[in-house]
Amino acid sequence: MRRVFFLIVTVIIFWSNLSAKKLGYALSGGGARGFAEIGVLKVLEENGIYPSYIAGTSIGAVIGGFYAAGYSVSEIEEIAMNLNWDDLLKDDVKRKNLALGEKNFYDDSVINLQIKKSGISLPPGLVGGRKFASKLSINLIHVQNIRDFSKLPIPFRCISTDLETGEEYVWTEGLLPQALQASMAIPSIFSPVEVNGKILIDGGICRNFPVQDVWEMGADAVLGIDISSESMSPKDLNSAMRIMNQTINLSGLKSNKEQIKKCTYYMKLPVKDYSILDFKHKRKILEAGETYARKYFAEHPEILEELKKFDSTPESHIKKIKDKIFIGKIKVKGIKIVSDEFIYDRMRLEENHYYSLDEIENAAERIYASKFFQYADFSFVKNGQKYDLIIKVKETSDDNLGIGFVFDSDTGGSLILNSMFLNSFWEGSKAFFGLKLDKTPEFKAGYFAYTGLNPGIGFWASYYGGIQELDIGLSDYVSQYKIHRHKLDLILQGQLSSDISAGLGNSFEYLKSKLNYLQDSEMKGENETTTGSVFVFALADTKDRRYFATSGIDFYAEYREFYYVKSGYDFDDNFGDSNFRKFKSSFELRLPVSGRLSLFSGFAQSVSFNKPTISQHIYLGGFRDYDINDFMKFPGIKLGEIAAKNAAVFKGGLQYEIIKNLFVCTEIDKAFTGIKWENLFKEEREEYFSLKVAAGYLSRFGPVALEAAKAHNYNDLILFLRIGFDW
């Protein structure tokens, strides 16, 4: 009898499960407006309503994909609100993942062009989507072994557009992170995604509202949650963003109308005032969706009751991975030119070790940062208790040309051209060329080859030529000094780590100077000086960013021996010895105090052993360092106004970030100069003191800084404006 009872109960449960109607969700695309969909899902889940199927497009695919993968709505909300979407859209590389030689010119151009065999062209998207893909992979590790999307905790589909045919590409299987990335590859913003020989872009182009796909999955009813844009009138097309929205949505408007008719229940969310890139308003958009859903169900309680009658058993959630994972094997796919060893050296990961998710992200970023690859995506294959890490790369066949500019009120404006050529003469090599065009043109060239040895070896050459006019003081003399200089440096550099480098070099310099006015008539006239020198150097850079850094150190030290000096001046007490030595160094430390406030301190010094010629004096003053001319910055004094044989500057200050990328700072500087280096520590030294205040902004076109400084015993308040990336 008991067996019969249990059999009847089992049949009833089985029959009830078969007869329970299934509800599906269709989530439309709409960029940042998709946060409103999270708000609606939140209200549905609070009322015990769960879907049996989900289909999504673009941002709807991302939200729906995470829901289908076992994330609760509250978990999706937490991820969406905590992600730095501005950072994802910029696709910037963390500075710590760059090689030291690349830190000061990586992405320092306003315009980046690709040099192809067919000519020069713009990149396929403003952003490659690498960071976005990385975040998807990290957060979806737990389902990457599930390649059939119908086997996910909630059966799922998403839509992309085949760029070649314009037809929809319906994802029913594959790697879920890759599917979500391809569904949200917004044209002109994210680069297309290549899958199985197809080039895929945002699914919103062909079917932004995938209602029919939910029906095809077997749903008995479909709740459509729509954030699509409506067609705008000519008067509303008053900005570039609105025009882009309209362009993207035009092809999908007709499809949307057809899909709306197929909805059993339809919710049109009130987010038309937000653009697809309004990620900074993510909280407001989410709350707008949540508010609308509560109001909607309050006004339509019968719909809420109907939805509750569907099978609303929450699917069992798969355990998410949030900490470390044990990496078994590491496999690299897609290598054709660059060696596997190069990839492993950049990754710095070993097999059969535990690694945090951040460490894995940084490893993939270091590969991408080398610029040998269009992308470096990663996925995981579970192998027992281990995870095999699969790195998939696509090598770039294109070289790069960057165009930038810089202006400052001391030296004027400059046009900057940078180019990089990969795998020239040696697999895994880079050739760099830079040109600065202004009244003092400069040229730089470098070649770095991966040899498999540590340190990596690079060769650099730089040329400077130009004319500068300075009002300087030299001991008791004051003059108008016109300098015509040509300088060539040849450098062999070893990369000890991503933060430390050392090397040696040979320098040749020709200088022609004219003293237009002097208090001492015996020193009037023109002079030509030619020098040759050898030097060794070491540098380290751990700053979190090049401009307005909040943490890290910046260090440089150089010892230089002059082996050849030929000058039109007789070598005497005023003008120096026929050979001499110099040592200079600089150090800066930046420490974060709070989320916005940071402290900085540092020093710079240059001392000479024996007497340097006038051309090798230190020129103190100005707001920027100009290493090519041995200038040492000291705000509050005009550029190069003080000439000294030996000098040291100490500084300290505070920096505060008012809002994102907008900074103010105050700085105190103290300088010492002396005829001999030991005078810097004696009463015979000259002392200078200044106070500086500044405001700066990190713009798309480079840093913008406005600075003001006043030096003690100098009457003038000096202002300085800088726009653009440093050379």
Side-chain angles (χ1 to χ4, degrees):
M1 188 67 180
R2 182 175 297 177
R3 291 181 180 178
V4 174
F5 173 76
F6 281 115
L7 179 62
I8 294 172
V9 171
T10 301
V11 170
I12 292 173
I13 293 174
F14 178 75
W15 180 256
S16 64
N17 286 334
L18 285 177
S19 59
K21 291 186 176 182
K22 307 289 187 180
L23 174 66
Y25 291 169
L27 307 180
S28 83
R33 295 192 295 264
F35 296 122
E37 294 177 329
I38 301 175
V40 174
L41 296 179
K42 186 176 181 180
V43 175
L44 289 166
E45 199 172 85
E46 286 176 0
N47 284 277
I49 300 168
Y50 298 88
S52 297
Y53 306 98
I54 302 176
T57 297
S58 196
I59 189 69
V62 176
I63 295 168
F66 272 67
Y67 206 10
Y71 279 94
S72 67
V73 175
S74 61
E75 289 172 326
I76 296 172
E77 178 183 359
E78 181 182 1
I79 292 172
M81 294 300 105
N82 289 336
L83 272 180
N84 186 335
W85 289 88
D86 288 340
D87 187 50
L88 290 183
L89 292 174
K90 289 178 182 176
D91 222 9
D92 291 340
V93 172
K94 296 187 188 74
R95 203 163 183 268
K96 69 178 182 179
N97 289 329
L98 293 171
L100 182 58
E102 301 171 354
K103 287 186 176 183
N104 284 343
F105 64 85
Y106 192 94
D107 288 343
D108 61 352
S109 303
V110 177
I111 301 172
N112 283 291
L113 304 174
Q114 293 180 340
I115 304 175
K116 302 174 178 287
K117 292 181 180 179
S118 58
I120 298 176
S121 64
L122 289 168
L126 295 177
V127 178
R130 174 193 57 82
K131 279 195 173 181
F132 182 55
S134 177
K135 291 299 180 185
L136 292 174
S137 290
I138 284 295
N139 285 286
L140 294 171
I141 295 176
H142 61 288
V143 293
Q144 290 196 33
N145 267 29
I146 303 176
R147 301 302 172 94
D148 182 351
F149 294 169
S150 67
K151 304 298 184 183
L152 291 168
I154 302 175
F156 173 73
R157 290 183 183 181
C158 64
I159 313 298
S160 295
T161 302
D162 188 324
L163 187 57
E164 180 182 4
T165 64
E167 298 177 352
E168 71 273 7
Y169 183 96
V170 182
W171 287 85
T172 60
E173 61 183 8
L175 281 170
L176 183 59
Q178 187 179 55
L180 303 187
Q181 181 190 6
S183 186
M184 198 177 162
I186 304 171
S188 76
I189 296 177
F190 288 122
S191 295
V193 177
E194 295 183 29
V195 178
N196 299 327
K198 296 182 180 293
I199 300 177
L200 303 179
I201 59 174
D202 194 289
I205 303 299
C206 61
R207 186 156 68 242
N208 195 50
F209 198 21
V211 180
Q212 71 181 62
D213 301 275
V214 184
W215 287 112
E216 291 170 3
M217 294 170 76
D220 297 299
V222 178
L223 169 60
I225 304 173
D226 188 9
I227 54 170
S228 303
S229 297
E230 298 177 352
S231 181
M232 288 180 278
S233 63
K235 68 177 183 179
D236 293 326
L237 295 172
N238 52 15
S239 70
M241 186 57 63
R242 286 176 176 265
I243 293 172
M244 184 176 72
N245 283 349
Q246 181 86 328
T247 302
I248 293 174
N249 290 323
L250 279 176
S251 58
L253 290 173
K254 182 178 179 181
S255 171
N256 264 30
K257 292 178 180 178
E258 295 173 352
Q259 296 296 314
I260 290 171
K261 295 176 183 178
K262 298 179 181 181
C263 291
T264 312
Y265 310 99
Y266 176 70
M267 302 175 74
K268 177 68 175 179
L269 307 190
V271 288
K272 64 179 182 179
D273 293 334
Y274 298 99
S275 79
I276 62 173
L277 295 180
D278 266 338
F279 290 98
K280 62 183 177 182
H281 298 303
K282 56 189 177 183
R283 175 58 65 182
K284 290 182 179 179
I285 297 173
L286 187 149
E287 291 173 351
E290 182 179 348
T291 300
Y292 170 82
R294 296 191 189 283
K295 181 179 179 182
Y296 179 86
F297 290 128
E299 294 175 351
H300 304 281
E302 71 283 0
I303 294 179
L304 182 62
E305 292 305 314
E306 288 181 24
L307 293 175
K308 289 181 178 180
K309 292 178 182 178
F310 289 96
D311 179 14
S312 290
T313 303
E315 299 293 338
S316 59
H317 289 182
I318 300 175
K319 183 180 179 181
K320 272 77 72 177
I321 299 170
K322 296 183 179 181
D323 299 315
K324 291 187 175 184
I325 62 173
F326 192 84
I327 296 296
K329 295 181 179 180
I330 301 176
K331 301 177 182 179
V332 180
K333 297 182 178 181
I335 289 291
K336 296 180 180 178
I337 300 175
V338 179
S339 66
D340 289 352
E341 288 77 12
F342 177 85
I343 296 283
Y344 287 109
D345 279 355
R346 297 289 293 201
M347 272 195 297
R348 301 176 206 158
L349 300 181
E350 297 180 8
E351 294 183 343
N352 297 312
H353 276 74
Y354 277 101
Y355 290 104
S356 70
L357 302 184
D358 283 343
E359 287 174 320
I360 295 170
E361 275 193 283
N362 286 328
E365 184 168 275
R366 284 191 292 271
I367 297 171
Y368 172 79
S370 70
K371 289 203 171 184
F372 285 102
F373 309 99
Q374 292 183 27
Y375 59 77
D377 295 338
F378 58 90
S379 58
F380 302 89
V381 176
K382 192 168 185 182
N383 187 1
Q385 297 300 314
K386 303 178 182 180
Y387 285 87
D388 292 340
L389 176 62
I390 312 298
I391 302 288
K392 184 178 181 182
V393 300
K394 181 177 181 181
E395 293 175 312
T396 180
S397 57
D398 302 328
D399 299 311
N400 177 267
L401 172 64
I403 303 173
F405 72 92
V406 62
F407 169 86
D408 72 61
S409 48
D410 279 342
T411 60
S414 304
L415 177 66
I416 297 174
L417 303 175
N418 287 312
S419 59
M420 181 174 65
F421 298 88
L422 303 175
N423 300 311
S424 301
F425 310 113
W426 189 291
E427 295 177 358
S429 67
K430 296 179 186 176
F432 303 90
F433 299 92
L435 181 63
K436 180 171 75 74
L437 298 174
D438 55 17
K439 64 182 181 181
T440 57
E442 295 182 47
F443 173 78
K444 293 180 180 179
Y447 186 80
F448 181 87
Y450 175 76
T451 62
L453 302 175
N454 193 12
I457 301 298
F459 175 80
W460 296 89
S462 65
Y463 164 79
Y464 167 90
I467 300 174
Q468 287 189 321
E469 295 184 4
L470 304 171
D471 293 333
I472 68 169
L474 176 63
S475 299
D476 296 328
Y477 303 100
V478 177
S479 65
Q480 292 177 338
Y481 199 28
K482 187 175 183 179
I483 304 173
H484 191 172
R485 181 189 299 250
H486 297 275
K487 185 176 182 182
L488 175 66
D489 287 329
L490 303 176
I491 299 171
L492 185 65
Q493 183 171 344
Q495 189 83 28
L496 303 177
S497 72
S498 62
D499 300 324
I500 303 172
S501 183
L504 54 89
N506 201 340
S507 182
F508 305 94
E509 183 176 42
Y510 166 80
L511 182 143
K512 183 177 180 180
S513 59
K514 182 177 181 180
L515 306 177
N516 294 325
Y517 172 77
L518 276 175
Q519 293 173 326
D520 188 323
S521 60
E522 294 182 1
M523 295 171 57
K524 290 182 180 179
E526 296 184 353
N527 171 58
E528 294 184 5
T529 302
T530 304
T531 63
S533 62
V534 292
F535 59 95
V536 293
F537 66 92
L539 64 155
D541 184 349
T542 65
K543 292 188 299 184
D544 59 341
R545 52 190 168 204
R546 184 179 180 186
Y547 306 99
F548 309 115
T550 59
S551 65
I553 65 167
D554 193 356
F555 168 77
Y556 181 80
E558 175 192 296
Y559 175 77
R560 184 179 295 263
E561 183 94 21
F562 287 81
Y563 60 84
Y564 176 77
V565 177
K566 181 179 180 180
S567 176
Y569 287 128
D570 292 329
F571 295 102
D572 55 27
D573 288 341
N574 288 320
F575 294 105
D577 295 325
S578 59
N579 56 69
F580 55 93
R581 303 180 301 277
K582 291 181 68 174
F583 174 72
K584 67 178 182 179
S585 63
S586 62
F587 177 81
E588 183 181 65
L589 171 66
R590 291 188 173 256
L591 294 172
V593 177
S594 65
R596 296 181 180 272
L597 181 65
S598 59
L599 302 175
F600 61 90
S601 64
F603 71 87
Q605 63 81 32
S606 179
V607 297
S608 299
F609 306 95
N610 299 339
K611 301 183 183 70
T613 64
I614 290 180
S615 65
Q616 296 299 330
H617 278 59
I618 297 300
Y619 297 99
L620 195 65
F623 289 79
R624 292 174 60 193
D625 286 315
Y626 299 86
D627 291 337
I628 197 73
N629 284 340
D630 288 319
F631 288 164
M632 185 179 292
K633 69 178 179 180
F634 189 80
I637 298 177
K638 292 180 181 179
L639 177 66
E641 186 170 352
I642 298 173
K645 297 177 180 179
N646 301 277
V649 175
F650 298 86
K651 69 176 182 180
L654 299 169
Q655 177 178 281
Y656 186 76
E657 188 171 9
I658 302 173
I659 58 175
K660 185 176 177 60
N661 292 332
L662 180 62
F663 302 86
V664 292
C665 76
T666 181
E667 177 180 320
I668 297 174
D669 291 79
K670 183 80 171 181
F672 306 97
T673 64
I675 296 176
K676 298 181 178 180
W677 69 267
E678 56 264 30
N679 293 146
L680 297 177
F681 309 97
K682 298 179 180 180
E683 294 183 358
E684 291 90 342
R685 68 189 181 188
E686 298 288 336
E687 298 186 10
Y688 306 88
F689 172 82
S690 73
L691 176 64
K692 183 186 84 171
V693 293
Y697 179 70
L698 282 174
S699 74
R700 171 67 182 84
F701 306 102
V704 179
L706 178 61
E707 305 177 47
K710 175 73 167 60
H712 181 61
N713 291 335
Y714 282 74
N715 294 327
D716 296 334
L717 175 70
I718 299 180
L719 299 178
F720 178 79
L721 174 65
R722 183 188 72 192
I723 303 172
F725 299 103
D726 284 337
W727 165 251

